[in-house]
Amino acid sequence: MALDLAKYRTLFLEEATEHLAEMSSALLELEKDLGAAEPIDIAFRMAHSIKSMAASLGYESITELAHALEDRMEGVRSAGRVLGGADELKSLFHGLEGLETMVAAVRETGEAPPSQSELVERVRARTESAGAGPVPVPHSPDAISESDLEDAASDRPKKKSLR
Amino acid sequence: MKSDEAAFTETGENMKARVLIADDASFMRQMIREIIEPEGYEVVGEATDGDEAVAQYEALNPDLVTMDIVMPKRSGIDAVKGIIANRPDACVVMCSALGQETLVMEALQAGAKDFIVKPFKPDNVLNTLQKVLEKRG
């Protein structure tokens, strides 16, 4: 069956615009209080939602950047605060602006713009004060695989032990 | 048809199985609805956060719930725990994104029956729901 992608593109634009506004407000709140729990949660969820919608429509560049922001915010959520302070917030704002530009491109052209690898890398890179090394790229070798999940869902004996 | 039984035609196809959709994104709720309604599923309710998902489950007693993992107020995993605590035989299907494998496993261990991964492939969504409901009997 085929879904009406034009309808979902309209929905995407409406919801992504709202989510980006919420994310912007959340990051502004974090400027005042780096450990404010609700804005941290909001920014994380908004990045997650934009990622999911973009992936559903095949907007890979938007998915990639939103995923980087989501992972970054997950790190903030785990830490309970924006450890990198103003520098890290700046990186998050850059990511947000990147998403805003990309969503605007979809609005104007109906298509997602090309990937912005440098911006994705910048969002993933940690500032010195937040700790060394970039935010881990997903699907590390130790991650649970889809077949592990399928075994768990079907109550089948595990083919290999979970790592 | 009793609300706590899934009805099947003689060929084994689901007939009017009652589904609750829990996702904070209207986009996703609409997409799931558009995939399953033409196949005979009845969407009896929608929840936009984990608290609402638990409350709606109690109020509506659906045959199956599709549950997003990331939601406001109460996460999808905590909502699964809340539902299963009262209804151990509840059919909950988690909706996850790539990179959430650990959370999906946690949800399955909490009592969810299966999972579907975003972006949704309609055939995969339908096959998974069918499989879960058939197992329930």
Side-chain angles (χ1 to χ4, degrees), chain B residues 65-109:
Chain B
V65 180
T66 64
M67 182 81 74
D68 189 21
I69 286 185
V70 175
M71 283 193 290
K73 294 188 184 174
R74 197 190 309 201
S75 72
I77 293 172
D78 286 342
V80 170
K81 291 175 184 173
I83 289 170
I84 296 291
N86 292 326
R87 308 272 187 160
D89 62 343
C91 288
V92 183
V93 174
M94 304 308 293
C95 298
S96 72
L98 284 176
Q100 293 186 314
E101 290 81 10
T102 304
L103 293 174
V104 172
M105 183 61 78
E106 202 178 321
L108 292 172
Q109 288 167 348

Short mmCIF file of all heavy atoms in Angstrom, two decimals, chain B residues 65-109:
data_model
loop_
_atom_site.label_atom_id
_atom_site.label_comp_id
_atom_site.label_asym_id
_atom_site.label_seq_id
_atom_site.Cartn_x
_atom_site.Cartn_y
_atom_site.Cartn_z
N VAL B 65 -2.16 -2.32 21.69
CA VAL B 65 -1.67 -0.94 21.78
C VAL B 65 -0.39 -0.82 20.97
O VAL B 65 0.49 -1.68 21.10
CB VAL B 65 -1.32 -0.58 23.25
CG1 VAL B 65 -0.82 0.83 23.35
CG2 VAL B 65 -2.49 -0.80 24.15
N THR B 66 -0.28 0.21 20.15
CA THR B 66 1.03 0.54 19.58
C THR B 66 1.60 1.67 20.44
O THR B 66 0.93 2.67 20.70
CB THR B 66 0.94 0.99 18.11
OG1 THR B 66 0.20 2.21 18.02
CG2 THR B 66 0.27 -0.07 17.26
N MET B 67 2.81 1.48 20.93
CA MET B 67 3.36 2.36 21.97
C MET B 67 4.70 2.95 21.53
O MET B 67 5.67 2.20 21.33
CB MET B 67 3.55 1.55 23.25
CG MET B 67 4.08 2.36 24.42
SD MET B 67 2.77 3.27 25.24
CE MET B 67 1.95 1.93 26.10
N ASP B 68 4.75 4.24 21.39
CA ASP B 68 6.03 4.90 21.12
C ASP B 68 6.90 4.81 22.37
O ASP B 68 6.39 4.78 23.49
CB ASP B 68 5.77 6.38 20.77
CG ASP B 68 7.00 7.09 20.25
OD1 ASP B 68 7.94 6.41 19.79
OD2 ASP B 68 7.02 8.33 20.30
N ILE B 69 8.20 4.77 22.17
CA ILE B 69 9.10 4.64 23.32
C ILE B 69 9.32 5.99 23.99
O ILE B 69 9.32 6.10 25.22
CB ILE B 69 10.45 4.02 22.89
CG1 ILE B 69 10.25 2.53 22.62
CG2 ILE B 69 11.52 4.23 23.95
CD1 ILE B 69 11.52 1.78 22.31
N VAL B 70 9.53 7.02 23.18
CA VAL B 70 9.84 8.35 23.72
C VAL B 70 8.58 9.18 23.73
O VAL B 70 8.04 9.53 22.68
CB VAL B 70 10.92 9.05 22.85
CG1 VAL B 70 11.17 10.47 23.34
CG2 VAL B 70 12.22 8.25 22.89
N MET B 71 8.08 9.47 24.94
CA MET B 71 6.86 10.28 25.06
C MET B 71 6.99 11.16 26.29
O MET B 71 7.74 10.85 27.21
CB MET B 71 5.62 9.38 25.20
CG MET B 71 5.17 8.76 23.89
SD MET B 71 3.52 8.04 24.00
CE MET B 71 3.84 6.64 25.05
N PRO B 72 6.23 12.25 26.33
CA PRO B 72 6.28 13.10 27.53
C PRO B 72 5.57 12.44 28.72
O PRO B 72 4.85 11.46 28.56
CB PRO B 72 5.54 14.37 27.11
CG PRO B 72 4.90 14.09 25.82
CD PRO B 72 5.40 12.79 25.28
N LYS B 73 5.79 13.00 29.85
CA LYS B 73 5.20 12.62 31.15
C LYS B 73 5.68 11.24 31.60
O LYS B 73 6.36 11.09 32.58
CB LYS B 73 3.68 12.69 31.11
CG LYS B 73 3.16 14.10 30.91
CD LYS B 73 1.68 14.19 31.06
CE LYS B 73 1.23 15.62 30.75
NZ LYS B 73 -0.23 15.75 30.73
N ARG B 74 5.26 10.20 30.90
CA ARG B 74 5.72 8.85 31.24
C ARG B 74 6.24 8.23 29.95
O ARG B 74 5.57 8.29 28.92
CB ARG B 74 4.55 8.04 31.82
CG ARG B 74 5.01 6.80 32.57
CD ARG B 74 3.89 5.84 32.96
NE ARG B 74 2.75 6.40 33.64
CZ ARG B 74 1.92 5.67 34.38
NH1 ARG B 74 2.14 4.38 34.56
NH2 ARG B 74 0.87 6.22 34.94
N SER B 75 7.40 7.59 30.04
CA SER B 75 7.97 7.00 28.82
C SER B 75 7.12 5.81 28.38
O SER B 75 6.31 5.27 29.15
CB SER B 75 9.40 6.53 29.07
OG SER B 75 9.38 5.36 29.88
N GLY B 76 7.34 5.38 27.15
CA GLY B 76 6.63 4.23 26.64
C GLY B 76 6.92 2.98 27.46
O GLY B 76 6.03 2.16 27.69
N ILE B 77 8.15 2.84 27.92
CA ILE B 77 8.51 1.66 28.71
C ILE B 77 7.77 1.68 30.04
O ILE B 77 7.22 0.66 30.49
CB ILE B 77 10.03 1.60 28.93
CG1 ILE B 77 10.72 1.34 27.60
CG2 ILE B 77 10.39 0.51 29.94
CD1 ILE B 77 12.21 1.43 27.64
N ASP B 78 7.74 2.82 30.69
CA ASP B 78 7.02 2.92 31.96
C ASP B 78 5.52 2.73 31.75
O ASP B 78 4.83 2.17 32.61
CB ASP B 78 7.30 4.27 32.63
CG ASP B 78 8.70 4.33 33.23
OD1 ASP B 78 9.31 3.25 33.43
OD2 ASP B 78 9.20 5.44 33.48
N ALA B 79 5.02 3.17 30.62
CA ALA B 79 3.60 2.97 30.31
C ALA B 79 3.31 1.47 30.12
O ALA B 79 2.28 0.97 30.58
CB ALA B 79 3.20 3.75 29.06
N VAL B 80 4.24 0.77 29.47
CA VAL B 80 4.07 -0.69 29.32
C VAL B 80 3.98 -1.33 30.70
O VAL B 80 3.10 -2.16 30.97
CB VAL B 80 5.26 -1.31 28.54
CG1 VAL B 80 5.21 -2.84 28.61
CG2 VAL B 80 5.24 -0.87 27.10
N LYS B 81 4.88 -0.94 31.58
CA LYS B 81 4.88 -1.53 32.93
C LYS B 81 3.56 -1.24 33.63
O LYS B 81 3.00 -2.10 34.31
CB LYS B 81 6.05 -0.97 33.74
CG LYS B 81 7.42 -1.44 33.25
CD LYS B 81 8.55 -0.78 34.01
CE LYS B 81 9.90 -1.20 33.43
NZ LYS B 81 11.03 -0.47 34.01
N GLY B 82 3.07 0.00 33.46
CA GLY B 82 1.80 0.37 34.08
C GLY B 82 0.64 -0.45 33.55
O GLY B 82 -0.24 -0.86 34.32
N ILE B 83 0.62 -0.69 32.26
CA ILE B 83 -0.46 -1.46 31.66
C ILE B 83 -0.36 -2.93 32.07
O ILE B 83 -1.34 -3.55 32.49
CB ILE B 83 -0.43 -1.32 30.12
CG1 ILE B 83 -0.86 0.09 29.72
CG2 ILE B 83 -1.31 -2.38 29.46
CD1 ILE B 83 -0.65 0.42 28.25
N ILE B 84 0.84 -3.49 31.96
CA ILE B 84 1.03 -4.91 32.26
C ILE B 84 0.75 -5.22 33.73
O ILE B 84 0.28 -6.30 34.08
CB ILE B 84 2.46 -5.36 31.87
CG1 ILE B 84 2.69 -5.23 30.37
CG2 ILE B 84 2.75 -6.78 32.36
CD1 ILE B 84 1.92 -6.21 29.52
N ALA B 85 1.02 -4.24 34.61
CA ALA B 85 0.78 -4.45 36.04
C ALA B 85 -0.68 -4.80 36.29
O ALA B 85 -1.01 -5.63 37.14
CB ALA B 85 1.18 -3.21 36.82
N ASN B 86 -1.59 -4.15 35.54
CA ASN B 86 -3.02 -4.42 35.71
C ASN B 86 -3.55 -5.47 34.75
O ASN B 86 -4.53 -6.15 35.04
CB ASN B 86 -3.81 -3.13 35.52
CG ASN B 86 -3.54 -2.14 36.63
OD1 ASN B 86 -3.33 -2.53 37.78
ND2 ASN B 86 -3.55 -0.86 36.31
N ARG B 87 -2.91 -5.56 33.58
CA ARG B 87 -3.39 -6.47 32.53
C ARG B 87 -2.21 -7.26 31.98
O ARG B 87 -1.63 -6.90 30.97
CB ARG B 87 -4.01 -5.68 31.37
CG ARG B 87 -5.06 -4.70 31.77
CD ARG B 87 -6.41 -5.34 31.81
NE ARG B 87 -7.44 -4.34 32.03
CZ ARG B 87 -8.71 -4.52 31.76
NH1 ARG B 87 -9.11 -5.66 31.23
NH2 ARG B 87 -9.57 -3.56 31.98
N PRO B 88 -1.81 -8.33 32.65
CA PRO B 88 -0.61 -9.07 32.23
C PRO B 88 -0.70 -9.62 30.81
O PRO B 88 0.32 -9.89 30.19
CB PRO B 88 -0.54 -10.22 33.25
CG PRO B 88 -1.32 -9.74 34.43
CD PRO B 88 -2.40 -8.85 33.89
N ASP B 89 -1.93 -9.80 30.30
CA ASP B 89 -2.05 -10.35 28.96
C ASP B 89 -2.20 -9.26 27.89
O ASP B 89 -2.52 -9.56 26.73
CB ASP B 89 -3.26 -11.28 28.88
CG ASP B 89 -4.56 -10.54 29.17
OD1 ASP B 89 -4.50 -9.42 29.73
OD2 ASP B 89 -5.64 -11.07 28.84
N ALA B 90 -1.95 -8.02 28.26
CA ALA B 90 -2.10 -6.91 27.30
C ALA B 90 -1.17 -7.11 26.11
O ALA B 90 -0.03 -7.55 26.26
CB ALA B 90 -1.81 -5.58 27.99
N CYS B 91 -1.64 -6.76 24.93
CA CYS B 91 -0.83 -6.85 23.72
C CYS B 91 -0.28 -5.45 23.43
O CYS B 91 -1.02 -4.58 22.97
CB CYS B 91 -1.66 -7.31 22.52
SG CYS B 91 -2.12 -9.04 22.60
N VAL B 92 0.99 -5.25 23.71
CA VAL B 92 1.63 -3.96 23.45
C VAL B 92 2.72 -4.16 22.41
O VAL B 92 3.57 -5.05 22.56
CB VAL B 92 2.25 -3.35 24.72
CG1 VAL B 92 2.82 -1.98 24.41
CG2 VAL B 92 1.22 -3.27 25.84
N VAL B 93 2.69 -3.37 21.36
CA VAL B 93 3.71 -3.40 20.31
C VAL B 93 4.46 -2.07 20.38
O VAL B 93 3.86 -1.01 20.24
CB VAL B 93 3.08 -3.60 18.92
CG1 VAL B 93 4.15 -3.48 17.83
CG2 VAL B 93 2.40 -4.96 18.84
N MET B 94 5.76 -2.15 20.61
CA MET B 94 6.56 -0.93 20.74
C MET B 94 6.90 -0.36 19.36
O MET B 94 7.17 -1.12 18.41
CB MET B 94 7.87 -1.20 21.48
CG MET B 94 7.72 -1.82 22.84
SD MET B 94 6.57 -0.92 23.92
CE MET B 94 7.45 0.62 24.18
N CYS B 95 6.90 0.96 19.28
CA CYS B 95 7.32 1.64 18.05
C CYS B 95 8.64 2.33 18.34
O CYS B 95 8.68 3.25 19.16
CB CYS B 95 6.27 2.67 17.62
SG CYS B 95 4.69 1.94 17.27
N SER B 96 9.68 1.87 17.70
CA SER B 96 11.00 2.39 18.03
C SER B 96 11.66 2.99 16.81
O SER B 96 11.26 2.75 15.67
CB SER B 96 11.87 1.26 18.57
OG SER B 96 12.24 0.39 17.53
N ALA B 97 12.69 3.77 17.10
CA ALA B 97 13.51 4.32 16.03
C ALA B 97 14.85 3.58 16.03
O ALA B 97 15.18 2.88 16.99
CB ALA B 97 13.73 5.81 16.25
N LEU B 98 15.62 3.74 14.97
CA LEU B 98 16.95 3.12 14.94
C LEU B 98 17.78 3.65 16.10
O LEU B 98 17.68 4.80 16.48
CB LEU B 98 17.66 3.46 13.62
CG LEU B 98 17.17 2.69 12.40
CD1 LEU B 98 17.87 3.18 11.15
CD2 LEU B 98 17.38 1.19 12.57
N GLY B 99 18.58 2.78 16.68
CA GLY B 99 19.42 3.21 17.79
C GLY B 99 18.77 3.02 19.15
O GLY B 99 19.35 3.38 20.16
N GLN B 100 17.57 2.47 19.16
CA GLN B 100 16.86 2.30 20.43
C GLN B 100 16.76 0.83 20.82
O GLN B 100 15.85 0.43 21.55
CB GLN B 100 15.47 2.91 20.33
CG GLN B 100 15.47 4.42 20.20
CD GLN B 100 14.07 4.98 20.26
OE1 GLN B 100 13.14 4.49 19.64
NE2 GLN B 100 13.89 6.05 21.03
N GLU B 101 17.70 0.03 20.33
CA GLU B 101 17.58 -1.41 20.54
C GLU B 101 17.56 -1.77 22.04
O GLU B 101 16.82 -2.65 22.46
CB GLU B 101 18.75 -2.15 19.84
CG GLU B 101 18.67 -2.14 18.31
CD GLU B 101 19.18 -0.85 17.69
OE1 GLU B 101 19.78 -0.04 18.43
OE2 GLU B 101 19.00 -0.68 16.48
N THR B 102 18.38 -1.09 22.81
CA THR B 102 18.42 -1.38 24.25
C THR B 102 17.07 -1.08 24.90
O THR B 102 16.59 -1.85 25.74
CB THR B 102 19.53 -0.56 24.93
OG1 THR B 102 20.77 -0.84 24.29
CG2 THR B 102 19.64 -0.91 26.41
N LEU B 103 16.47 0.03 24.50
CA LEU B 103 15.17 0.39 25.07
C LEU B 103 14.09 -0.60 24.63
O LEU B 103 13.20 -0.94 25.41
CB LEU B 103 14.79 1.81 24.64
CG LEU B 103 15.66 2.91 25.21
CD1 LEU B 103 15.28 4.26 24.60
CD2 LEU B 103 15.55 2.98 26.72
N VAL B 104 14.16 -1.05 23.39
CA VAL B 104 13.18 -2.02 22.92
C VAL B 104 13.30 -3.30 23.73
O VAL B 104 12.30 -3.89 24.15
CB VAL B 104 13.36 -2.33 21.41
CG1 VAL B 104 12.46 -3.48 20.98
CG2 VAL B 104 13.06 -1.10 20.58
N MET B 105 14.53 -3.74 23.97
CA MET B 105 14.72 -4.96 24.77
C MET B 105 14.14 -4.77 26.16
O MET B 105 13.48 -5.67 26.70
CB MET B 105 16.22 -5.29 24.86
CG MET B 105 16.53 -6.59 25.60
SD MET B 105 15.79 -8.04 24.81
CE MET B 105 16.95 -8.29 23.45
N GLU B 106 14.35 -3.60 26.71
CA GLU B 106 13.80 -3.30 28.05
C GLU B 106 12.27 -3.40 28.01
O GLU B 106 11.64 -3.94 28.92
CB GLU B 106 14.23 -1.90 28.45
CG GLU B 106 14.21 -1.63 29.94
CD GLU B 106 14.71 -0.22 30.26
OE1 GLU B 106 15.67 0.25 29.60
OE2 GLU B 106 14.12 0.40 31.16
N ALA B 107 11.68 -2.88 26.95
CA ALA B 107 10.22 -2.92 26.82
C ALA B 107 9.73 -4.35 26.67
O ALA B 107 8.72 -4.75 27.26
CB ALA B 107 9.78 -2.08 25.62
N LEU B 108 10.44 -5.16 25.90
CA LEU B 108 10.04 -6.57 25.73
C LEU B 108 10.14 -7.31 27.06
O LEU B 108 9.29 -8.13 27.40
CB LEU B 108 10.91 -7.24 24.66
CG LEU B 108 10.72 -6.74 23.23
CD1 LEU B 108 11.78 -7.34 22.31
CD2 LEU B 108 9.34 -7.08 22.70
N GLN B 109 11.19 -7.01 27.80
CA GLN B 109 11.35 -7.65 29.11
C GLN B 109 10.29 -7.16 30.09
O GLN B 109 9.95 -7.87 31.03
CB GLN B 109 12.77 -7.38 29.64
CG GLN B 109 13.83 -8.17 28.88
CD GLN B 109 15.24 -7.72 29.14
OE1 GLN B 109 15.48 -6.67 29.74
NE2 GLN B 109 16.21 -8.52 28.71
#
